[in-house]
Amino acid sequence: MVTRSSNPEGRSLQEAVTRSGTSVEESLLAEISAWNQSAEIPIGTVGAVIGATLPRSTFPLSQLGGVILAPGLGAQGARLEDVADRFSGCDPGSVIASTSRSLLAAGPDPSDLGQAAADLAKELAGVLG
């Protein structure tokens, strides 16, 4: 579920404050967390898309209980240190940092793309723990 997009067109909706006084994105993250902790669905079923280029969320992402897709690493401006800071405390393997544009620059040779992906995975594992 897209909750914290770095897409400028989506931010006004995601930052809008609901009647309860929380933002739409905070409400969505809380709902995702509740779903992932309920007995009705398997643990970790519901994930969130949270832009890696955004400031750190005020919602404790370590409590989300699902996978986080974090687009924006590399060409879009987020650095490894940004990903480590913004998603610190999350379970190992629960944050998938996307860097499609940067990886594509290593191509078009498939072995070069594979090596670039492997190198980045190693770097991410080092900063995400």
Side-chain angles (χ1 to χ4, degrees):
M1 181 178 303
V2 176
T3 56
R4 286 182 48 94
S5 169
S6 58
N7 181 331
E9 292 81 13
R11 294 305 302 149
S12 60
L13 172 63
Q14 294 159 2
E15 293 174 336
V17 177
T18 66
R19 288 184 194 151
S20 66
T22 61
S23 68
V24 170
E25 67 185 40
E26 296 286 320
S27 297
L28 288 170
L29 290 167
E31 192 164 339
I32 290 169
S33 178
W35 283 334
N36 284 328
Q37 295 174 30
S38 76
E40 298 174 21
I41 61 172
I43 294 172
T45 297
V46 184
V49 177
I50 300 172
T53 58
L54 297 174
R56 192 176 183 135
S57 176
T58 57
F59 182 87
L61 296 176
S62 61
Q63 297 176 14
L64 193 67
V67 174
I68 297 170
L69 175 60
L73 180 61
Q76 290 177 284
R79 300 168 300 137
L80 289 170
E81 298 80 14
D82 298 328
V83 173
D85 175 62
R86 290 171 184 139
F87 303 102
S88 65
C90 293
D91 289 337
S94 67
V95 178
I96 302 169
S98 173
T99 181
S100 305
R101 293 181 193 175
S102 295
L103 285 179
L104 288 174
D109 182 86
S111 62
D112 291 341
L113 285 168
Q115 185 60 54
D119 292 345
L120 180 60
K122 186 176 180 179
E123 288 180 62
L124 278 169
V127 297
L128 291 175

